[in-house]
């Protein structure tokens, strides 16, 4: 729960610094293969740009947290 809160807080701060950016635009920017969801490589790219240091294990955990409907394959 704490990881999710800290991550969302960091993303919110990133978006707040860029008034023209929305969560939807952030999703569209990093969802590069147009399959409708963020995969682990796209998530890794997003966190790198957001300057959030995460390892592969944490990425998998975060992906499972944010994949509310369970449709993402890891």
């Amino acid at each position: 729960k704490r990881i999710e809160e800290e991550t969302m807080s960091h993303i919110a701060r990133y978006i707040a610094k860029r008034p023209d950016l929305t969560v939807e635009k952030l999703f569209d920017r990093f969802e590069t293969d147009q399959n409708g969801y963020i995969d682990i490589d796209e998530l890794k790219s997003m966190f790198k740009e957001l300057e959030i240091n995460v390892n592969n294990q944490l990425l998998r955990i975060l992906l499972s947290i944010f994949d509310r409907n369970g449709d993402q394959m890891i």
Side-chain angles (χ1 to χ4, degrees), residues 43 58-68 72 74:
L43 189 64
L58 183 54
L59 280 171
R60 286 184 179 88
I61 291 168
L62 291 170
L63 197 57
S64 69
I65 289 170
F66 293 115
D67 183 21
R68 301 274 188 221
Q72 175 60 48
I74 297 176

Side-chain angles (χ1 to χ4, degrees), residues 32-52:
T32 56
D33 59 10
Q34 305 301 308
N35 63 2
Y37 60 87
I38 299 285
D39 64 31
I40 197 160
D41 291 328
E42 293 164 334
L43 189 64
K44 187 185 296 186
S45 176
M46 182 178 78
F47 283 121
K48 183 176 180 180
E49 184 164 321
L50 295 176
E51 298 178 357
I52 301 173

Side-chain angles (χ1 to χ4, degrees), residues 5-28:
E5 290 172 0
E6 288 178 6
T7 302
M8 292 306 292
S9 176
H10 195 98
I11 292 169
R13 284 193 304 275
Y14 178 86
I15 291 173
K17 293 177 186 175
R18 294 153 181 86
D20 61 322
L21 188 63
T22 64
V23 172
E24 291 80 15
K25 286 181 182 178
L26 190 60
F27 177 88
D28 290 343

